[in-house]
Amino acid sequence: MTATPDKEFVNEIIANGGETVNMCFQCGTCTASCPSGRQTSFRTRQLVRMAQLGMKDQVLSSEELWYCTTCYTCTERCPRKVAIVDILIAMRNLAVASGNMFEGHKKTATSLIKSGHTVPINDDVKAQRAALGLAEVPPTVLASDKAKKDFDKILEATGFNKIVGE
Ligand code: SF4
Ligand code: SF4
């Protein structure tokens, strides 16, 4: 892993939707407000600073980049109106483009490709639905071959399968 700063990294983030990345003056309000950071090693302010400093390899291979739940608390509280979630999403997109998709997200994306749902249905859910007087399988892509085929066309057109590696 190189320690040489990549001065273009911040411009890549800006070009991918993180226009406000340079507005951050490191007050730490985002980190103090972050519910995910309370439970994990994720420090929002630190990741934004690493982006400003051009620490591309470290940011794009970081697990913490994937710990944001996109709750937007930080964005609401930032005194500099930094669109932090947009910056994190831009960095995640760059991470995926460089082959670094977090395993949990990959699993969710794979489920979406296979079934059309991020959370697959199982026998327990089917039994619960039946007990509630509902059809075992909901009237979504799960119950319609045509809808699933249409959905597959969207995945193909957007290249989503290739991005996920399925
Ligand atoms: S709250 Fe805003 S200005 Fe303060 S550290 Fe976070 S992103 Fe930077
Ligand atoms: S949007 Fe993400 S970074 Fe911001 S407070 Fe919520 S979990 Fe933390």
Side-chain angles (χ1 to χ4, degrees):
M1 193 172 285
T2 174
T4 311
D6 184 334
K7 290 180 187 163
E8 270 312 300
F9 184 43
V10 84
N11 291 329
E12 281 183 72
I13 293 169
I14 290 169
N16 281 277
E19 288 89 351
T20 53
V21 62
N22 282 326
M23 294 292 289
C24 170
F25 63 177
Q26 292 288 294
C27 69
T29 304
C30 50
T31 296
S33 309
C34 180
S36 173
R38 240 169 268 147
Q39 311 296 331
T40 68
S41 53
F42 174 38
R43 300 291 176 264
T44 320
R45 178 204 59 76
Q46 185 184 50
L47 214 56
V48 174
R49 186 62 180 151
M50 287 167 76
Q52 290 174 332
L53 292 174
M55 297 171 72
K56 182 175 180 173
D57 292 345
Q58 291 90 335
V59 169
L60 297 191
S61 62
S62 145
E63 270 206 5
E64 283 78 8
L65 177 58
W66 299 89
Y67 291 171
C68 167
T69 62
T70 65
C71 72
Y72 283 87
T73 307
C74 55
T75 304
E76 284 177 10
R77 294 185 179 170
C78 174
R80 295 282 285 168
K81 299 198 184 313
V82 177
I84 300 159
V85 177
D86 291 351
I87 294 165
L88 293 171
I89 288 173
M91 295 198 294
R92 283 183 184 178
N93 286 339
L94 292 168
V96 170
S98 65
N100 288 313
M101 184 183 273
F102 187 57
E103 215 39 55
H105 284 67
K106 196 167 186 174
K107 238 175 162 175
T108 305
T110 301
S111 171
L112 184 70
I113 290 166
K114 288 194 173 140
S115 71
H117 282 257
T118 50
V119 179
I121 195 162
N122 58 28
D123 289 342
D124 286 345
V125 175
K126 284 182 187 170
Q128 284 169 5
R129 289 181 59 85
L132 291 167
L134 300 167
E136 276 195 351
V137 177
T140 65
V141 284
L142 293 174
S144 164
D145 285 345
K146 182 183 178 314
K148 180 65 171 70
K149 276 185 190 142
D150 289 346
F151 183 66
D152 289 344
K153 281 184 202 162
I154 294 170
L155 294 177
E156 186 69 34
T158 57
F160 189 73
N161 330 25
K162 290 194 190 85
I163 292 167
V164 179
E166 286 298 310

